[in-house]
Amino acid sequence: MENYSENYERIQEFIELFSRLVDDRKDLKLVLQTYTHFEGKFKMLDAILLRENESLAIFEFKPRGEEINLQDIFEAFVPAEVSFKFLILSNGKIHKVLNRFSNQTKDFQNAKELLFFLLEIPSEEEIEKVKNEIAKGIENVVSTFFTSHNNYHTLSSKKEIILQLFTKENIYKNLRYDKNGQFYHISEDIRQLENLENKFFKILIDEVNQNEFIYRYTNLDTVFSTIDKESLRLNGIAGMNDISEVGYVETYLDRNFVPFKTSKDVDRLNKRFILCSSTLNDDLMQWRLYGDDCKGGCLVFRLKTQKDIPGLQIRKINYGVEINRENYHPELELITQIIDFVKVNIKDSFQFRTLSIWKHFFKSFEYAPEKEVRLLLIQNDQNNIKGKSFNGFSPHSLDKKWCLTTSHKILNPFMIINLNDKALPLELTEIILGPKCPEIVINQTQFIQLLNEKKMGNVKVNISRIKNYR
């Protein structure tokens, strides 16, 4: 029997050979010993094969044993969040491949044959056949969903418009097959806000209406800094107060469209910035939670206009509902059922590609009383707003900085936007000083003075109407 050392050396030989084959192609990359985050723990992945930056296959190496049986590959732990088509369990000599959508397995002993199999693309006739099946199936899934859940879920008011959107003909017309990650999707370009997928999410997530007011409760230092520097700060998502909500959608769907924590994924996360506010005016709960226990202030903004830019969205948070003391999110349930239908019935993969943008507007029912509004800014690789120039707006560089957060001590980027920046859809109209703001009368006078000196005299400064909270 071969010992552990011999098997390990054989695996290393395979990795070196397979890496050379991958290096010969510009569209492929083999990433060794990366990791993913799963249920509060980190899981090391032995290797992952990327094709044009789409995850295609995960490798799990087994240095013990001569044989690999079917049970071994099904017991190999790979978190459901990781998005990929193939799982390869290898001892360096035998490479057992599982297609995780069809559950079919195949054995290889030759690295070239293995790579050729992984990269094999269905014929155009096969793709067309699957597209027809997916289109028909999704139409039925959506229709059945509304029939079986119509009595209590929050989507009932949007039923007709969603049914009109997800007809078999409309789905088929928009379906695409990604030959790199080998999955189907309905968003030809995520920067096009009028494609089928973006239209769907725009229906699910309510927008802020023009001239509607939103309220950002914060501490007095932030209010002063906003006026003094005439700018607004959007914080990076990694340093949010509730870091659990970063993966809320992925956890709910049991999938992750940002599949693993390589440097590229960290870079992607650090290009997303948010400004949190609420539709609640002079609200005690908001003062206590976010206004420094009523000692801070509230920045009041008016929405000037919605920008037709995918990387700059201001939307009302879409909350789940409480069913039998559990969080139930109808919008995410519908998404889950569509994805699962393709996986279970078609034996293939379907992805909502723009969910990487829209996922930041979903939260659990526990947060519903906050009535949150969120301004999301996504930075592109050219240090501009994602999709801005694509949609006809003039691009300009963004002012990105870093800090160590006071709440969680997380090193985190943040974005500074001038209050007069044309890209900013908000206009500051008022400052409200909290019920326990120190020296409240003097500070009201001083803020008025500062605003006048900054030529911002149109911004009002008022004191909270709440008198009984001390």
Side-chain angles (χ1 to χ4, degrees), residues 215 217 241-242 245 276-281 283 285-286 288-290 316-317 319 363-374:
Y215 305 86
Y217 296 81
N241 287 335
D242 182 13
E245 72 171 81
C276 297
S277 56
S278 173
T279 60
L280 298 172
N281 180 13
D283 180 78
M285 178 184 68
Q286 290 289 308
R288 294 177 65 185
L289 289 174
Y290 305 110
K316 298 177 181 179
I317 293 297
Y319 298 101
K363 295 179 74 170
S364 176
F365 79 90
E366 290 95 342
Y367 297 95
E370 297 183 0
K371 297 187 182 300
E372 183 181 346
V373 174
R374 181 168 288 180

Side-chain angles (χ1 to χ4, degrees), residues 379-413:
Q379 179 188 18
N380 67 9
D381 293 334
Q382 291 74 44
N383 193 32
N384 186 27
I385 302 172
K386 189 177 185 67
K388 186 178 182 184
S389 58
F390 178 86
N391 286 275
F393 295 88
S394 299
H396 68 290
S397 293
L398 299 168
D399 187 11
K400 180 178 178 179
K401 300 179 183 296
W402 287 79
C403 70
L404 187 65
T405 63
T406 55
S407 56
H408 293 83
K409 296 301 179 184
I410 298 173
L411 191 61
N412 196 47

Side-chain angles (χ1 to χ4, degrees), residues 191 193-194 202 207-208 210 303-315 358 375-376 385-388 391 393-394 396 420-426:
R191 297 172 298 179
L193 281 175
E194 293 308 308
K202 286 166 69 177
E207 66 179 8
V208 180
Q210 189 171 354
L303 180 69
K304 294 184 291 187
T305 180
Q306 284 278 5
K307 302 289 185 180
D308 192 25
I309 306 171
L312 186 66
Q313 292 292 319
I314 180 165
R315 298 267 165 177
W358 300 107
L375 174 64
L376 170 71
I385 302 172
K386 189 177 185 67
K388 186 178 182 184
N391 286 275
F393 295 88
S394 299
H396 68 290
N420 296 317
D421 194 317
K422 292 182 179 180
L424 185 67
L426 300 172

